[in-house]
């Protein structure tokens, strides 16, 4: 089953989506929200693209879609890398957790895209 | 962190979304696709609502959204139960796997909605 | 075609999603982002639920899903009303535009849910 | 406002998403569902990527995201073209409508991606 071979990447994508969704909410509650604006913006894009990449992979099973999944994973990796770099520049725990999830996801997506 | 208390339900939702996404694709490749039409239709709704319920929960952290998450989980549980019942009526492995994921997700969502 | 009868509501939902997506981005660029935090948070929920309500309606055609669509529209209306009320409390043009789109969408969704 | 310049493409994306969502449901109700399996599969991918491209554009306003939007539009155009070609090979009204929406959306997305 082709779906299985995507399992690690799907898990990394959904984990990253959750951390990004949560990070944006936590950023909105920080004292200096303005300093987190770029992080929030990237979190929004990253959460959505991760969720969609996971959905594309789960649907790809030798019947159209594997190629789409690989292309979307390549794009997803780029956003994860940029979101992870931004998160890494902040000291808050939610940003650190998010940065880690972004990096793991970027790695898994790069493997898929290759 | 409120996000943590949603963890089990988020995991169950994303797991269910993946099984539904995959089940629909596998149904489309069965010999008798017509017999799977209802299953495919329910899989489409179920995958999307599970993904959104998970996103809502990951964003809910004492700052708006917890109430929305609980309401959406109640609705998600209903769809999971109907999708799980349909999947359970088919013999294919992908339907059986999907039915299990739907039931687990419905249970977690019912707890959240309570 | 049942899909046609949902047309006005689908249009209102996607219009509202766009205004919410845009409003959140514009809020993140305001001088006092902190004052817009609640608006951004509501925009995130509202955009997503509107998009999903529209998707549910477009898929509903006498073959499962019309009931789901009506339920989701009821929930969507609630979020639109709360988002619209928050947006209405701000003076910025993007918030005013968003408030209007939220109210129109809430009205259409209430009709659907009825 | 940068958001405005994306307006035509956003509209074409959401219109295409609705036609694809509806086409998949209508295909599932055809006498020979098996003959529509590829169309249904492409509709699923196309609806989702169109919805996400529209969301990305509505969020892009000189503050990150315009570049992401253009890249996603390029990918979206490819899927729209393939979905439109498949739909065009069927005689049903919903496929014809969907094929038209796919072509319009592909054109708008190609302009954005350029």
């Amino acid at each position: 089953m082709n779906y299985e071979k995507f399992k690690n990447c799907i898990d990394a994508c959904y984990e990253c989506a959750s951390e990004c969704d949560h990070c944006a909410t936590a950023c909105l509650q920080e004292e200096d929200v303005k300093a987190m604006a770029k992080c929030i913006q990237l979190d929004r894009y990253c959460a959505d693209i991760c969720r969609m990449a996971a959905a594309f992979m789960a649907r790809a099973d030798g019947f159209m879609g594997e190629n789409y999944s690989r292309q979307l994973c390549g794009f997803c990796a780029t956003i994860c890398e940029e979101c992870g770099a931004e998160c890494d520049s902040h000291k808050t725990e939610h940003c650190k957790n998010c940065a880690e999830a972004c990096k793991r996801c970027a790695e898994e997506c790069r493997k898929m895209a290759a």
Side-chain angles (χ1 to χ4, degrees), chain A:
Chain A
M1 184 167 48
N2 285 328
Y3 167 50
E4 285 306 317
K5 74 181 170 194
F6 294 132
K7 190 71 175 59
N8 286 347
C9 194
I10 290 172
D11 287 349
C13 282
Y14 280 139
E15 179 68 28
C16 188
S18 288
E19 291 294 341
C20 288
D21 278 326
H22 176 254
C23 183
T25 296
C27 285
L28 285 169
Q29 296 172 89
E30 292 291 336
E31 200 49 53
D32 185 1
V33 188
K34 200 171 181 60
M36 314 309 283
K38 193 180 164 189
C39 188
I40 296 166
Q41 182 74 337
L42 281 164
D43 282 337
R44 293 167 77 206
Y45 281 112
C46 196
D48 277 0
I49 205 74
C50 285
R51 232 183 322 268
M52 179 145 295
F56 267 46
M57 284 183 275
R59 286 177 203 169
D61 193 6
F63 181 45
M64 321 263 338
E66 183 160 336
N67 192 36
Y68 293 160
S69 298
R70 294 191 188 283
Q71 283 182 69
L72 194 56
C73 280
F75 182 48
C76 186
T78 301
I79 297 185
C80 285
E81 283 156 9
E82 297 185 18
C83 187
E86 173 63 25
C87 279
D88 231 4
S89 72
H90 298 287
K91 305 281 185 213
T92 53
E93 197 197 345
H94 55 84
C95 284
K96 291 297 172 203
N97 290 341
C98 192
E100 269 179 56
C102 285
K103 282 172 205 172
R104 261 197 316 274
C105 188
E107 275 170 41
E108 291 291 338
C109 283
R110 286 280 171 230
K111 278 189 245 171
M112 270 302 133

